[in-house]
Amino acid sequence: MSWSCDGRLAFTAESLRKQTREEPCLSSCVRCWLVIPSGSDAIAGRASVLAIFAESASPTYVLSPYPHDPQMVVTGSNDGSVCRWNALSGSLCSRFTAPEPAASDENASAVEVFDGAFSPDGTIFAAINGSGVMWLSGMDGGATLGLDLSLIHI
């Protein structure tokens, strides 16, 4: 669950799975909710669904609203996709896929997007996969730059 930068929109990720973890995900979606406070009592309000985003049947792990535009949100899924959405319409603005893991990487979750965040100025989106490889993408649709965090020692 995540909030837009102006606090008016809430984003939720839903995944419907069969009984066992080994079975594929049946469906996955992200919903954008308009939150309407009730008078001065912000606890007792209501919400209505504005849009439903559906791009893959893989569970969504990352919900990252753009820091300066409440109408933009980025999602990351376990199929390796990172999608930028128009929050109000639910339309897909752009999509890219996590870089393929190195041939020597035997980690089964290597392409899964486990976390992601915007830079403070909103110009770069960074994501990380199960192998500890981080990649950066410019929000103008520029090329991605992969960084293997396992090689960085602090």
Side-chain angles (χ1 to χ4, degrees):
M1 196 261 157
S2 193
W3 290 92
S4 64
C5 62
D6 65 0
R8 295 181 55 215
L9 303 176
F11 303 98
T12 58
E14 304 169 14
S15 298
L16 177 62
R17 212 174 251 294
K18 291 185 179 179
Q19 292 284 355
T20 63
R21 300 273 306 154
E22 291 77 28
E23 295 291 328
C25 185
L26 295 174
S27 68
S28 178
C29 73
V30 173
R31 295 180 195 270
C32 175
W33 300 82
L34 175 62
V35 180
I36 305 164
S38 178
S40 62
D41 183 8
I43 295 173
R46 64 181 196 276
S48 59
V49 175
L50 285 180
I52 299 174
F53 317 155
E55 178 63 17
S56 87
S58 295
T60 298
Y61 296 135
V62 177
L63 288 170
S64 187
Y66 186 69
H68 306 294
D69 183 353
Q71 296 184 24
M72 186 190 311
V73 64
V74 171
T75 61
S77 301
N78 86 340
D79 65 357
S81 65
V82 175
C83 299
R84 182 170 55 113
W85 302 90
N86 177 300
L88 300 181
S89 68
S91 60
L92 181 65
C93 299
S94 61
R95 180 180 197 272
F96 66 90
T97 304
E100 288 294 323
S104 61
D105 189 352
E106 297 179 14
N107 188 343
S109 63
V111 297
E112 294 180 352
V113 180
F114 284 122
D115 202 3
F118 281 99
S119 61
D121 66 359
T123 59
I124 297 172
F125 186 79
I128 190 165
N129 68 13
S131 295
V133 175
M134 179 178 75
W135 65 98
L136 308 172
S137 177
M139 288 311 296
D140 61 355
T144 61
L145 170 65
L147 301 173
D148 187 344
L149 294 183
S150 64
L151 301 176
I152 299 174
H153 301 284
I154 298 175

